[in-house]
Amino acid sequence: MRDLASLPKAHLHLHFTGSMRPQTLADMAQARGVRLPGALLDPDGQVTRPPVDERGWFRFQRLYDAARACVRSEADMRRIVAEAAADDAAEGSGRLEIQVDPTSYAPFVGGITPALEIVLDEARAASALTGVEVGVVVASSRVRHPLEARTLARLAVRYAGDGPGEVVGFGLSNDERRGTTADWAPAFAIARRAGLASVPHGGELLGAEHVTEVLDHLAPDRLGHGVRSAEDRHVLDDVVRRGVALEVCPASNVSLGVYAEDHHVPLRTLTDAGATLALGADDPLLFGSRLVEQYEVARRVHGFSDAELAELARGSVRASRAGEATRRRLLAGVDAWLARPEQPARPAP
Ligand SMILES: [Zn+2]
């Protein structure tokens, strides 16, 4: 049993607000005099993950909005990026591509341009401090007008690059059931022409036909989730044939009720079909588990061997937008991890 926190990997699916540590949310809520919803608090009033027996998107979205409403200053934004990088560093991530919709924070910092620049600047600083390269995905939202997404895409391309503190991709998040996917195609075309990765969400709340819709209209390099492509062999084969990597977030799937149990997440179906996977935590604040725990689930629940876990980590690195030198370094680190002798399992306490 090799230590999964020391397995080098890339983290490609993490949302800005959702990355927050519980204590950070508690501090921000207190500073603003905001009362957090009861579902986010334990009996002692401490911020905790919501109970897993109450599931569903709308509840998730309500809690996410409540957390986001506590983020109201440049200092708040910088703290979130800095802590996300520090937490990734502790989990063996060498490359983080964090998603942010600057629209949400624009009112507090003077517009979407400063909002994005704050995140990029802190991403650069955090990269230097932690050694985790932090790139940024600018995410548009399905609950806003597609014309706004074009404005965001134009903003994103001004900061395009593969390095720390640069915009590496363009996303589309929020409720998959909202809007018509094709309406976002012009925004993704703007992003793609500038060399940004296309990384929309798709195929989590909706099934395989939604995956096809996203493939056809948004030409993704990676799909946020995409797990439900497993429901249709032709669609899954199409994902593999097109070389689209899947950012799979097992804790998210189960917390949102997409699958009832951990073992229902079709990790094996996806890897057996030859799909490239990059495990991600999505929103650790609300789903209660961070990056390493997604790999733990692959090991414990799905029976992935260390060689298979190493292959998952390689997939995450290959699917990232990291430059050649970083990829080589992380992939060599994966090989070194696997070459280490296994640790004997710790005796039960
Ligand atoms: Zn997500």
Side-chain angles (χ1 to χ4, degrees):
M1 303 281 275
R2 294 172 182 84
D3 171 32
L4 288 170
S6 60
L7 170 63
K9 53 182 93 63
H11 194 185
L12 309 183
H13 199 110
L14 181 70
H15 295 272
F16 179 78
T17 300
S19 75
M20 264 198 276
R21 297 172 183 170
Q23 187 57 51
T24 300
L25 176 59
D27 292 349
M28 288 180 189
Q30 194 190 25
R32 310 284 174 206
V34 173
R35 260 186 68 153
L36 292 169
L40 281 172
L41 303 171
D42 70 13
D44 299 325
Q46 302 294 310
V47 173
T48 183
R49 75 177 273 192
V52 288
D53 55 337
E54 292 180 57
R55 291 169 175 153
W57 175 268
F58 294 107
R59 185 167 171 286
F60 160 76
Q61 192 58 49
R62 191 173 58 79
L63 296 176
Y64 196 92
D65 289 344
R68 187 165 44 202
C70 297
V71 183
R72 296 190 195 171
S73 71
E74 175 173 347
D76 291 348
M77 296 176 71
R78 288 187 180 277
R79 179 173 174 183
I80 291 171
V81 176
E83 291 179 349
D87 290 345
D88 253 48
E91 298 197 277
S93 161
R95 169 85 181 182
L96 168 62
E97 299 184 0
I98 190 168
Q99 305 198 23
V100 64
D101 176 357
T103 317
S104 309
Y105 316 99
F108 309 108
V109 294
I112 53 172
T113 302
L116 179 57
E117 286 185 345
I118 288 165
V119 171
L120 296 176
D121 188 59
E122 191 59 37
R124 259 188 305 277
S127 302
L129 192 67
T130 63
V132 180
E133 273 190 14
V134 185
V136 173
V137 170
V138 171
S140 56
S141 169
R142 279 185 176 271
V143 300
R144 303 185 80 95
H145 197 283
L147 281 175
E148 268 190 51
R150 295 193 212 181
T151 305
L152 270 182
R154 286 189 202 97
L155 174 68
V157 302
R158 283 165 46 196
Y159 304 92
D162 289 338
E166 295 185 305
V167 175
V168 301
F170 188 70
L172 176 61
S173 53
N174 215 298
D175 190 342
E176 287 169 17
R177 297 161 293 200
R178 298 283 293 272
T180 305
T181 300
D183 291 347
W184 277 273
F188 277 80
I190 291 166
R192 197 176 316 106
R193 275 199 299 275
L196 295 182
S198 167
V199 293
H201 284 63
E204 185 187 32
L205 303 180
L206 294 177
E209 67 289 350
H210 183 247
V211 171
T212 297
E213 209 174 281
V214 174
L215 292 179
D216 288 346
H217 295 290
L218 307 182
D221 297 284
R222 308 193 301 248
L223 261 179
H225 304 293
V227 274
R228 293 186 59 190
S229 56
E231 292 167 12
D232 184 323
R233 187 62 211 217
H234 296 291
V235 174
L236 180 52
D237 286 344
D238 203 23
V239 164
V240 174
R241 192 178 50 76
R242 297 192 200 205
V244 178
L246 303 177
E247 302 162 1
V248 176
C249 310
S252 164
N253 299 158
V254 176
S255 294
L256 292 176
V258 174
Y259 301 109
E261 306 278 351
D262 285 334
H263 67 270
H264 295 159
V265 177
L267 275 193
R268 283 278 176 205
T269 308
L270 299 174
T271 54
D272 287 353
T276 298
L277 267 52
L279 297 185
D282 207 0
D283 297 293
L285 174 68
L286 297 174
F287 302 141
S289 63
R290 305 199 72 92
L291 180 58
V292 164
E293 284 174 73
Q294 316 310 313
Y295 284 82
E296 300 275 11
V297 165
R299 169 185 272 167
R300 193 180 67 244
V301 177
H302 300 277
F304 278 57
S305 66
D306 283 4
E308 290 171 322
L309 293 161
E311 192 50 31
L312 287 177
R314 288 189 195 103
S316 73
V317 173
R318 291 192 190 109
S320 78
R321 297 293 275 198
E324 210 32 59
T326 301
R327 283 164 184 270
R328 264 203 306 273
R329 176 170 56 79
L330 293 176
L331 291 172
V334 173
D335 292 343
W337 179 84
L338 197 56
R340 259 181 243 162
E342 288 187 53
Q343 305 291 312
R346 276 189 221 119

